[in-house]
Amino acid sequence: MTAYKDQIQGRIKEVQGKIKEVAGKLVGNKELQAKGMAQKTRGKAQAKFGDVKQKLKVIKKKATKKKAAIKKAVTKKAAKKK
């Protein structure tokens, strides 16, 4: 699953869980309230996982660009020595 899908689906699950939690409180259903809290927590975790995946993708992209720049500089410096 892509980072964006994890982020979106996680936040959707988080909202659905919050709705269940509130509904459980309103009707006095402890089981529904607990299921809502659990779903909300799983949603938060999935969204955070998506956030981390996205950050890693950005870091990897920056590292690749930096590596290419270093390689170019080294090649240029070696060419000057000859």
Side-chain angles (χ1 to χ4, degrees):
M1 194 174 299
T2 67
Y4 293 120
K5 282 185 181 180
D6 279 321
Q7 290 169 323
I8 292 167
Q9 287 182 352
R11 290 190 173 91
I12 289 170
K13 287 178 187 175
E14 192 176 344
V15 170
Q16 289 172 336
K18 182 65 177 176
I19 291 168
K20 285 181 185 177
E21 181 184 357
V22 171
K25 279 183 182 178
L26 287 174
V27 297
N29 185 335
K30 297 282 185 187
E31 185 178 336
L32 181 61
Q33 186 179 354
K35 284 182 180 180
M37 290 171 69
Q39 185 176 6
K40 185 173 76 171
T41 302
R42 285 191 307 272
K44 280 184 180 183
Q46 185 176 2
K48 183 57 78 174
F49 179 69
D51 294 343
V52 169
K53 280 172 62 174
Q54 184 63 30
K55 286 179 184 177
L56 288 174
K57 189 185 285 187
V58 169
I59 290 169
K60 183 179 177 183
K61 190 174 182 179
K62 285 181 181 179
T64 303
K65 283 183 180 181
K66 195 170 192 172
K67 182 179 175 183
I70 291 169
K71 186 175 181 181
K72 186 177 178 180
V74 168
T75 305
K76 190 176 181 180
K77 192 174 185 177
K80 281 185 177 181
K81 285 186 176 182
K82 288 183 180 181

